[in-house]
Every structure is written in C-alpha cells, then in structure tokens.
Amino acid sequence: MKKFLKIFLIVIAVIFLILLVTPFLFKGKIIEIAKTELNKMLTARVDFSDLKLSFIRNFPNAYVALEDLTVIGTGEFEADTLVAFKKLSVTVDIMSVIKMDNIQVKSVLLDQAKMYAHVLENGNVNWDIMKPSDTPEPETPADTSSTDIKVALKKFEIRDANITYRDEQGKMTAVVKDLDFVLRGNMAMDYTDLSMNLGIASVDFWMDGIRMLKKARVGFVSEMGADLKNMKFTFNDNVFTLNDIALKFAGSVAMPADDIDVDITFATDKTDFKSLLSLVPAIYMKDFDRVKASGSLALSGSAKGTYNEKQMPNVDLSLTVDNAGFKYPDLPKSIDNLSAAVKVFYDGVVFDRTTLDVNKFHFEMAQNPFDMELHVKTPDSDMQIAAKFVGKIDFNSVADIVPLDSTTLNGVLDCNLTLAGRMSTLEKEKYEDFQADGMLKLTGFDFVSPDLPQGVKIASTQLNFTPQKVDLVNFDAVIGRTDIAMNGSLENFIPYVFKNETVRGKLDLKSNTIDLNEFMTDSQTAEAAPADTVPLSVIEVPKNIDFTVNAKIGNILFDKLSITNTIGMLFVKDGKVRMHNLGMNLLGGSMVLNGEYNTQDIKVPSIDFGMDIMQFDITSTLSSFSMLEKIFPEPQNYVGKVSAALTLSSVLDEHLNPVLNTVLSKGQLRTQNIEIRNSKLFGTVADLLKNEKWRTISPDNLNIKYEIKDGRLMIDPLQFNVAQSKLDLSGDQGLDMTLNYDVKATVPVSAVGSGAAGLLSKIPGGANVKEFKLAGHIGGTAAKPEVKLNLSDMAGNITEAVKEQVTEVVTQKVEEVKAQAKEEVGKQVDNLLAEAEKQAENIRNTAKQAADKIRSEANANADKIEKEAGSKSVIEKRLAKAGADKLRKEGENSAVKLEQEGEKQAQAALDAAKKKAEEIKNK
C-alpha cells in the first residue's frame, strides 16, 4: 500500500510539473506559429508582444492571454490600426477541451481596446481583412452531425475600450470613449437567459459635418431570453439611456437566416421635460444639475418588420411636450411655454409612404414667441410639403438663458414664411399651384466659438420667397478677415432645401477682402503650426449649386499671394468653379484668367487655366509658387519683369500643390530688364572663364517658348546676349530640378579673364584673335549645376603673314580641337541615347502599372460579383459568372491597349533620339 501511494504521488507530481513547465518550454514556438498563421489568414499585419499559457493559474481551467496585440491595415488602409488592446484573455475548462464535446469557455476578457472602423467613399471597409479561402465551397453542405461541437461561453467582457467609426461614404463620424460591456449566460444551451450591461462615458457624433452629440453618456441594461437554436431574442427588462433620457424596450429580434425580424416597442421611462433637455449639448454640458425645468414629456415608438439588403423595418415615433420651460438660477431669462407634437413614420419597404408631421412647435424666448408647423409626405415620388414659420428669435438673449462657455452669440431672426404644395409643380414651372410667401430676415448676427474662432458677423440678410424664386435682397457679412456683400435671386431653392436638388442663382458679389487661407487650412493643424507654415487644404465645391456670380473683389489673400482689383465672372456648377475673363492685379503686374478649379472628385482636385500675364515681378512670382521654386531655386537672385500667354493644367494634392508628373503647360514668356545674381550656373561659368562679371548677368529681353509635359520643361532654341557674348541655348529641365541643356557661345577675348588673354598673347598670332567659340552641356540640378565647356573653334583677324608662320602650330591645334570635339560629340550621343532609353523605359513602366491596375480592378470587381452570387440560385450564379467573365475580358482589352500605346510612345521617343544623334554626328 505504501508503495502504491508513493507511485501515485510521484505520478501526480510529474503531471503537475508537466502542466507547470509545458507553457514555458514551448512558448516561443507557439508564439511564432500563432503569428505566422494569423498573418497567413488575414490581409492585415498582426503582431503581439506576449502569449501567456497557464494550466495552474485557474486549475482545472486553462488560461490563455494575448498581450499588446495590434492589427494594422495594408493597401489603401496602410495607416489604419484596426484593433489594438492591452490584453485578450480566455479561461476554458481543460477537460472539455480534451473531450471536444461541449467546450466550457468560462470567460473572455478584452482589456483596454482601441478600435478604428473606416469606410472609404468607394464603400471599401478596413475590417474586411479575411483572405479568401483557396478551397471552393461545396455545392451541398457536408454532414457535420458527427463533429457537432458546442462552445459554452459563460461571460464576455470588454473593459475601458475606445472606438472610432469614420464613414466617408455616409459622411458620419463617431468617437466612443471609456466603453465597458459585460455579457453573461450559457451560450451552449438551446435556450438561456442573457444579461447585458453596457456603459459608455462619452460619445461624440457628427453627421454631414454637424455635431449631433457631444460627450454624451450612453447606457444599456438588458435581461433577455435567448432561443439560440432559432436565434430569437426576447427582451424582458431593458433600459437604454442617453444622458438623462431613459427608454424602456419590449419585444423581440429574430435571425432565423440572413434576414433579421424586428418587433420592438419603446417608451420613455421618465416623463419630465428636463430629461429631453439633456440631449442639447449646450445645455447638458454646463451645470445641468442646477437647471430648473418644468413640463411633461412623452416619447414612444416602435420598430417592426424585416431588415435585409432590400428593406428596413417600419419605424413609428411620437414625441409630445406640454407646458415646458427651463431656467438657469443665475441667469435672468428663460425659455417658456414650450410645447411640441411630432409624429414620424418611416416605411422601410416603400420609402414613399414615409411621413413627417410636426403638428405643433411653440416656444417663447425672452418673451418672443416662435411657432412652426411642418408636414411632409410622398418624399420619394413627389414630395408634398406644408410648412409655416412665424416668430422672432432674439439671439441677444441666449447668453441670458444658457451659459455659452467661450461662445459669443448675438442677432435677431424675424420669420414669417408659408410653404405648401408639391415639388413637381415647381419642376414643371406651374408656380400658380405652389404657395410660397413670406420672408426671413437676420440682423446684427455675431457668432464666435472655439470651433469657429474667426467668427461670423452678418450685419443684415433678407430672403423674400415667391413660388418662382427667392430674392436675396442683401447679404452683408464678415467672416474672420473676409467681408462679403451679395444680392441676387435664387431658383429651385425650396427643392434644394427639402430634397437636396440643385439650386440655381444669379448673384452680384462685392468684397473689400477675401482671405481664402482662413477657409483652406485644417484647424487642428493650424493650432500646432506657425502661421506661415500651415498647409492649405482643398475646398470642395458643392455639386448641387449652379451660380452665375458677377464678382468685384478688392483684395484676395491666397497662400503667399495678395491679389487686388479682381473683376469678372464666376460660374459655380457641378463641383467646379469656372472663371471667365477674370481680371486681377498681383505680383507687381496684372493677369486675365480663364479656366476652372475642379473638385468633382474631391480626392483628385485639378486646375485647367489659360493665363494672360502682364509685367509680373520675377522675384515675387518665383517665391510665391512652390513649383517655380523647384525650377528656379533662390528666387531672390532673379530681378526683372515677365509677361506671358500660357495654359496650365494639373492635378492637385491635398495641400493644393500641383502633382508634378500631371503638370501640362505651354506658352510664351517675355522678359524685361532681367538680372540674374549669384546664380550657381553662371558662377560655374565665371570660374571656367576666370571672369567675375559672369556671376551677375543682364541678358537682353528674351522671348521664350516652352512646354511642360511628362515632368520636363522644354524650351525652343533660344538666342541672347550676355556679357558681350552671344549664346545659343536649347534643351530641357525636370520639375525634379534636373538640368539637360546644350549651350553654344561666341565669346570675345575681352569677356574672359586676364589669365586666358595672357595665354592667347603667347601664341604666335594669338594677339590678333578677337573672339572664340565655346560649346558645352549643362547638367546636374538647378541647385547644383554641372557645366562642361570646350573650345570648338578659334578665329581672328590674323594676317596672311602670321598664318604662314604659325601654319604648323595652328594645324596641330586644330587637329587637337577636332579630336576633342569628336570625343565630346560621342559623349553627347551616348548621353542622348541613354536618356532616351531611360525615358522609353519610364513610359513602358507607367503604361504597365496603369494596365495592371485596370486588370486588378476588373478582376476584383468580377470576383466580388461571383462572391455575392455564391449563395444564390444556379441560374443567378451563371449570370453572375458571365458578367464577371465579361468584366475581366473588358479589363484585359483595356489593359492591352494601354500597354500597346505605351510601347508606341516609347518607340517614338527612341526614334526621335536616334534622329537627333545622327544630326549631332553630321555637324
């Protein structure tokens, strides 16, 4: 017996030792395998600092924890960290895992999580990271009855999570901070009771740039019956809270298949009006507990129906407020006699049956009454509206009613407006069948807030309504440093307000100053950067505006530019601003501008201009445009005037800088009294010629024809005089600052230094030489040019007698010069052909990249079509496959054409280079 006991104790000790040591022995290998397998399964990059395994900590349960896990996106979501958390731990019954029958998961904990969900404008989402399986799905589901494994989860918990949701397509952003969530139940049973507790300390929500919630508190406490076999959940005792609003829920949600069946009713738990006030950020955020409120509230509704890709549940909502009001104890004024009766019905199957009825909305602010009534129906087919707005809102009294907290608000709004009729009557210009009568008038308006620190001041604006149009009697406003005065008329204004249709207008605009920089900078970036280094950002032109604007503007501030006396026509339409004969003074001269600024694709904004420029100051011009500074660095070294007639088009980046490889420009420049000082290029020439006069040059007035394409600035051959010398210049330079110019010069002996002149005097007959010719190449970059010059010919008024004396010497020198010239020509030809080969290869690569992108997009779309049809009928699958095959074929055809065109352009570049090489050889 003692021997048996001894053996038994040894076995137990060995088992305990194995359980204790195993996680440490194999931990490194397990971590390596886990990371490798996760990254194989996902398109995102997964990493974690540690994997903890323990069979002792919660014995007889196993404990597994991942620490410091991050999931980072790739491709178009390269900068997105989808998930990051401090710890993810799971506690599971060891024996249930060994049996693989009913796995008992005791708890799952997600601690200090940070999540970022991102929807792009094209609909792509960053959480779709699962790689498609290489194994095709079987036509008939496999029999899994013999391997039916149940997982019994008892508790799921999230602690201290922060979540950001950004939807560019829906123009929504939500930020959730300090989220705690606990779910308890036995999820291995066919039927169980679940308890759920959700608490969120702060929720911020923006819709279309408007902040709907600010640091709102959210809670959800639920006790529900869960029929997990049929996926039906019945709410028993459930309360949803938003700040002080509490809604009780009853009903059920069922998910028997892909559809979700909803049958829920809800109503407010509290009936005091103050709970509704908690939804108003300006009131709730400042001393809310001290607010004295009266009146009753009734909010109820239901959601019933089916949710799927084709329909939504029907939603009924009813809100009634009676005899309400509120007042801060320390402030002199109040909101009184507030009452409302609102009913909303949303039809999730036929949207046209949706209705909105604001039967009553009345309040008195500082004893000024305001009343509104609004009815909307058939919003999809032919919206019918009946609306009435009557009253006065004295914004000067707001600060006496609500603590504004660093916000200034003043002004008076007078309103007396009636609207009634169908939108189709306006579209068909049957104005007699639509009632629109009244006016809106705002005076003395002044608004400043932390979100709008430059402030908005509207001295006066008035809109007069008729069925045909809305007359903008006046609009006199100051926004920061910008002042605007407008008047005119607007058509289709009512459909614009109610249905987001296009509003048309003819306006006269006058301004003393418009500071575009205030509207083109990101506020967060601006706070962190010095004023002169804040990057600009794109201003999106609305697509539902069609305005003709007659503009007269005294001063426009744009980046580093000050533009004065701007007069001309602006056409704002379809996401573009088109300028017509827009005259202006800037950069010490004047310009007439025609063309457009295009934001139809906000991610790829562009410009396409024609410019007639007169007498621009060269220094100011070069220092005001980043693209020109790349071509001509150190703009302070250039003095003079320039005039031009040119065209310019380019895609812009997010900071309104031209994307260099998209720049296209062509035109003619005319210089006047130009002087180039301390140029590195001519400084190099001065060193070669031993003459300091070349460091600062004043060439004759130039007439330069140029073209920019494929990232290169090319000039027509140019002749001009510098330092008593005649120069011929031809070639090009890159917008990346690389230089490629050929130069020829006829230089008088007087233009070279004393050392070179002394050398000539020692040559027999050299004293009679008056000038000599130079040829060379300018390479390198604009910041660091490389100049190579060689003596190509020598001539002078050498007498016949001197010629005879020095025939042998001259002959020898000429042969040396010829050999040197021949060698230089060979180098030029080699360089030319090498550059052409490089250019041709770039063209081919660009065409191939574009073609590959077309193929990739076509294949991705085709795969998506086939994937979406995966669960549908055989006929739908075949139709989907046919459509997908057609899409792939069209993509391949387009790609092949693009590659063929690229090859054609590449060969043309090579042929042109070979032709030029032959010309150089034959000179």
Side-chain angles (χ1 to χ4, degrees):
M1 184 67 181
K2 290 182 179 179
K3 185 176 181 180
F4 173 78
L5 182 61
K6 183 177 180 180
I7 294 173
F8 177 76
L9 292 175
I10 291 173
V11 170
I12 294 297
V14 170
I15 292 174
F16 181 83
L17 184 63
I18 291 173
L19 293 175
L20 180 66
V21 173
T22 298
F24 298 97
L25 292 177
F26 299 101
K27 180 177 178 180
K29 189 65 176 177
I30 293 172
I31 290 176
E32 181 183 347
I33 293 172
K35 289 183 179 180
T36 301
E37 293 303 316
L38 282 171
N39 282 288
K40 283 181 180 180
M41 294 166 55
L42 306 176
T43 58
R45 300 191 303 274
V46 180
D47 196 10
F48 51 89
S49 65
D50 199 5
L51 172 64
K52 292 187 175 180
L53 304 171
S54 175
F55 300 108
I56 303 302
R57 177 173 177 171
N58 294 292
F59 190 83
N61 301 318
Y63 173 83
V64 183
L66 283 177
E67 294 189 351
D68 300 319
L69 183 139
T70 58
V71 181
I72 300 175
T74 58
E76 57 188 340
F77 297 106
E78 183 72 31
D80 290 0
T81 299
L82 284 68
V83 177
F85 51 73
K86 187 69 177 175
K87 180 171 65 176
L88 170 63
S89 63
V90 180
T91 303
V92 60
D93 181 85
I94 297 175
M95 295 307 297
S96 69
V97 175
I98 295 173
K99 293 179 180 179
M100 291 299 286
D101 178 25
N102 185 12
I103 298 176
Q104 301 291 322
V105 179
K106 303 293 185 178
S107 66
V108 176
L109 170 63
L110 185 59
D111 191 22
Q112 297 184 39
K114 294 182 180 179
M115 304 178 188
Y116 178 55
H118 190 182
V119 183
L120 296 180
E121 198 165 357
N122 59 15
N124 292 343
V125 297
N126 68 346
W127 60 83
D128 186 11
I129 59 174
M130 185 66 69
K131 290 181 180 178
S133 174
D134 295 332
T135 305
E137 295 184 4
E139 293 290 336
T140 304
D143 182 9
T144 60
S145 59
S146 61
T147 59
D148 187 14
I149 300 174
K150 293 183 178 180
V151 178
L153 176 63
K154 296 295 183 67
K155 179 182 177 183
F156 177 75
E157 183 177 4
I158 299 174
R159 292 181 192 164
D160 194 20
N162 294 322
I163 302 171
T164 299
Y165 174 75
R166 182 183 173 200
D167 186 346
E168 296 179 16
Q169 191 176 57
K171 297 183 178 180
M172 294 182 293
T173 300
V175 178
V176 175
K177 294 183 179 179
D178 299 329
L179 179 148
D180 293 306
F181 174 77
V182 179
L183 174 66
R184 289 184 172 91
N186 189 342
M187 299 180 197
M189 301 177 65
D190 290 340
Y191 185 89
T192 186
D193 290 323
L194 297 178
S195 67
M196 185 185 303
N197 196 319
L198 169 70
I200 302 174
S202 173
V203 176
D204 293 277
F205 179 68
W206 292 262
M207 171 74 78
D208 286 327
I210 300 173
R211 193 169 196 162
M212 312 296 289
L213 292 175
K214 181 177 181 179
K215 296 183 180 179
R217 288 185 296 106
V218 175
F220 184 54
V221 178
S222 174
E223 298 289 339
M224 68 178 76
D227 181 352
L228 298 177
K229 184 175 182 180
N230 299 305
M231 290 302 289
K232 183 175 182 178
F233 303 88
T234 303
F235 296 103
N236 300 322
D237 186 10
N238 307 271
V239 178
F240 172 81
T241 60
L242 178 61
N243 290 341
D244 275 19
I245 282 282
L247 293 177
K248 283 194 171 182
F249 281 81
S252 64
V253 174
M255 296 177 283
D258 292 335
D259 290 352
I260 301 175
D261 297 325
V262 179
D263 186 358
I264 294 175
T265 59
F266 56 88
T268 49
D269 186 30
K270 298 180 180 180
T271 60
D272 59 301
F273 172 68
K274 188 175 180 180
S275 62
L276 183 64
L277 277 181
S278 71
L279 299 183
V280 182
I283 299 174
Y284 178 70
M285 297 305 297
K286 187 74 173 178
D287 298 329
F288 182 71
D289 293 339
R290 299 173 55 241
V291 174
K292 294 181 179 180
S294 61
S296 61
L297 161 73
L299 174 63
S300 61
S302 66
K304 297 182 180 182
T306 301
Y307 171 80
N308 54 37
E309 294 182 354
K310 297 181 179 180
Q311 68 183 67
M312 298 277 287
N314 293 344
V315 178
D316 267 306
L317 182 67
S318 177
L319 171 66
T320 303
V321 178
D322 286 324
N323 300 318
F326 69 91
K327 184 181 185 300
Y328 278 85
D330 298 335
L331 296 178
K333 298 180 181 180
S334 61
I335 296 287
D336 301 303
N337 298 325
L338 193 153
S339 57
V342 180
K343 289 185 177 293
V344 179
F345 171 70
Y346 169 76
D347 193 307
V349 179
V350 181
F351 178 64
D352 204 43
R353 292 200 289 254
T354 298
T355 59
L356 167 65
D357 291 291
V358 182
N359 297 307
K360 182 181 182 181
F361 184 77
H362 172 87
F363 67 88
E364 295 172 13
M365 187 172 75
Q367 299 181 344
N368 292 308
F370 185 87
D371 289 276
M372 181 185 81
E373 184 178 339
L374 174 64
H375 304 276
V376 178
K377 58 183 180 179
T378 60
D380 193 38
S381 60
D382 185 9
M383 182 182 288
Q384 301 178 63
I385 64 169
K388 190 173 184 179
F389 307 88
V390 179
K392 176 185 288 188
I393 298 178
D394 185 356
F395 294 112
N396 301 302
S397 300
V398 172
D400 294 332
I401 299 172
V402 178
L404 293 181
D405 191 20
S406 304
T407 298
T408 299
L409 180 60
N410 295 302
V412 176
L413 173 67
D414 286 299
C415 179
N416 188 350
L417 176 62
T418 301
L419 304 172
R422 293 178 177 269
M423 291 297 166
S424 61
T425 61
L426 298 177
E427 294 168 356
K428 297 175 182 178
E429 299 183 0
K430 294 182 178 181
Y431 301 118
E432 66 277 6
D433 295 332
F434 193 94
Q435 181 185 3
D437 182 39
M439 66 86 186
L440 291 172
K441 185 177 182 180
L442 180 63
T443 56
F445 184 77
D446 184 7
F447 178 73
V448 181
S449 75
D451 292 333
L452 191 69
Q454 66 266 41
V456 176
K457 297 178 184 291
I458 301 176
S460 176
T461 184
Q462 181 171 336
L463 294 171
N464 290 342
F465 288 79
T466 67
Q468 293 90 338
K469 62 180 180 179
V470 175
D471 288 322
L472 178 61
V473 179
N474 66 314
F475 179 80
D476 296 316
V478 176
I479 306 173
R481 293 185 293 269
T482 297
D483 64 275
I484 296 175
M486 284 194 301
N487 62 78
S489 62
L490 305 173
E491 298 179 1
N492 212 46
F493 182 80
I494 297 170
Y496 167 76
V497 172
F498 286 96
K499 295 191 68 176
N500 202 33
E501 293 186 4
T502 299
V503 58
R504 300 181 298 274
K506 293 183 179 180
L507 302 171
D508 289 326
L509 182 150
K510 293 182 180 180
S511 174
N512 294 314
T513 300
I514 293 181
D515 187 352
L516 292 176
N517 296 328
E518 287 189 309
F519 303 98
M520 304 173 75
T521 56
D522 181 274
S523 59
Q524 294 179 347
T525 304
E527 291 175 2
D532 58 347
T533 62
V534 176
L536 302 179
S537 59
V538 177
I539 292 180
E540 183 174 8
V541 181
K543 295 181 177 64
N544 59 345
I545 286 179
D546 182 359
F547 286 168
T548 298
V549 182
N550 183 14
K552 186 175 182 180
I553 306 169
N555 188 24
I556 300 175
L557 301 177
F558 173 71
D559 199 3
K560 303 174 187 177
L561 293 177
S562 178
I563 305 169
T564 61
N565 298 326
T566 300
I567 300 175
M569 300 297 296
L570 300 173
F571 300 92
V572 185
K573 185 178 181 180
D574 297 332
K576 300 186 292 185
V577 177
R578 183 166 59 89
M579 299 92 174
H580 177 67
N581 289 337
L582 197 66
M584 61 194 74
N585 297 330
L586 70 160
L587 300 172
S590 63
M591 177 174 68
V592 176
L593 182 65
N594 288 278
E596 68 179 33
Y597 166 68
N598 188 333
T599 64
Q600 288 180 323
D601 184 346
I602 190 62
K603 293 187 177 180
V604 191
S606 64
I607 55 172
D608 187 358
F609 291 141
M611 306 179 189
D612 192 355
I613 295 170
M614 295 296 295
Q615 298 289 301
F616 273 10
D617 177 72
I618 292 179
T619 306
S620 301
T621 302
L622 296 181
S623 61
S624 297
F625 298 97
S626 57
M627 185 180 75
L628 294 179
E629 277 196 284
K630 290 180 179 293
I631 300 174
F632 302 100
E634 300 179 343
Q636 70 276 9
N637 292 334
Y638 299 85
V639 178
K641 296 284 187 178
V642 64
S643 300
L646 58 91
T647 60
L648 172 64
S649 65
S650 176
V651 170
L652 305 177
D653 65 16
E654 66 272 22
H655 300 310
L656 291 179
N657 296 315
V659 178
L660 296 183
N661 61 357
T662 70
V663 174
L664 295 174
S665 183
K666 190 173 185 179
Q668 188 167 339
L669 307 177
R670 303 179 302 279
T671 68
Q672 182 178 351
N673 301 326
I674 187 173
E675 186 175 283
I676 304 175
R677 304 168 181 170
N678 301 318
S679 164
K680 289 184 174 62
L681 173 59
F682 287 103
T684 305
V685 177
D687 293 337
L688 290 171
L689 297 180
K690 309 298 182 184
N691 188 345
E692 291 301 309
K693 293 181 179 179
W694 282 81
R695 293 197 189 278
T696 298
I697 66 168
S698 300
D700 297 338
N701 293 338
L702 305 177
N703 195 339
I704 306 170
K705 293 183 179 180
Y706 79 93
E707 183 174 7
I708 298 177
K709 64 178 181 180
D710 300 326
R712 306 292 297 180
L713 165 66
M714 295 160 282
I715 65 170
D716 284 1
L718 182 65
Q719 296 182 347
F720 57 98
N721 296 326
V722 173
Q724 303 174 337
S725 304
K726 296 180 180 178
L727 272 71
D728 291 331
L729 184 68
S730 61
D732 60 89
Q733 69 182 79
L735 301 184
D736 59 357
M737 299 180 69
T738 57
L739 304 177
N740 178 38
Y741 287 110
D742 292 320
V743 62
K744 294 181 181 179
T746 301
V747 183
V749 174
S750 59
V752 301
S754 58
L759 180 62
L760 284 174
S761 66
K762 294 178 182 180
I763 299 175
N768 295 319
V769 175
K770 303 300 181 184
E771 63 182 21
F772 57 91
K773 295 181 179 179
L774 296 175
H777 181 77
I778 303 171
T781 67
K784 191 176 180 180
E786 298 175 359
V787 182
K788 296 180 181 180
L789 296 176
N790 64 285
L791 190 66
S792 61
D793 191 17
M794 181 186 293
N797 297 324
I798 303 177
T799 62
E800 292 295 324
V802 175
K803 286 182 180 179
E804 292 177 1
Q805 295 177 16
V806 296
T807 297
E808 183 177 349
V809 175
V810 171
T811 301
Q812 181 181 352
K813 293 294 182 184
V814 168
E815 289 299 323
E816 291 176 358
V817 169
K818 285 182 178 179
Q820 186 177 353
K822 185 175 181 181
E823 181 182 356
E824 192 64 24
V825 167
K827 291 180 180 179
Q828 291 183 31
V829 169
D830 292 342
N831 291 338
L832 179 64
L833 294 176
E835 183 64 27
E837 286 287 347
K838 182 179 179 181
Q839 182 180 357
E841 188 62 24
N842 287 340
I843 293 171
R844 293 189 186 100
N845 289 339
T846 300
K848 186 178 186 306
Q849 290 172 4
D852 290 344
K853 184 177 180 181
I854 291 173
R855 289 189 182 99
S856 176
E857 290 177 352
N859 289 334
N861 290 333
D863 293 343
K864 184 178 180 181
I865 290 172
E866 290 181 330
K867 183 177 180 181
E868 290 175 350
S871 62
K872 299 182 180 178
S873 67
V874 174
I875 295 177
E876 288 174 315
K877 286 181 180 179
R878 290 178 178 175
L879 291 174
K881 186 178 187 307
D885 291 343
K886 182 180 179 183
L887 193 59
R888 291 189 184 97
K889 183 176 180 181
E890 290 175 350
E892 179 63 25
N893 291 339
S894 298
V896 170
K897 288 181 182 178
L898 191 58
E899 289 174 336
Q900 290 173 346
E901 179 61 25
E903 182 60 34
K904 182 179 178 182
Q905 293 182 13
Q907 190 59 47
L910 289 172
D911 292 343
K914 291 177 181 178
K915 183 178 179 181
K916 187 172 181 180
E918 288 299 322
E919 292 175 354
I920 292 174
K921 289 179 181 179
N922 295 331
K923 286 185 179 179

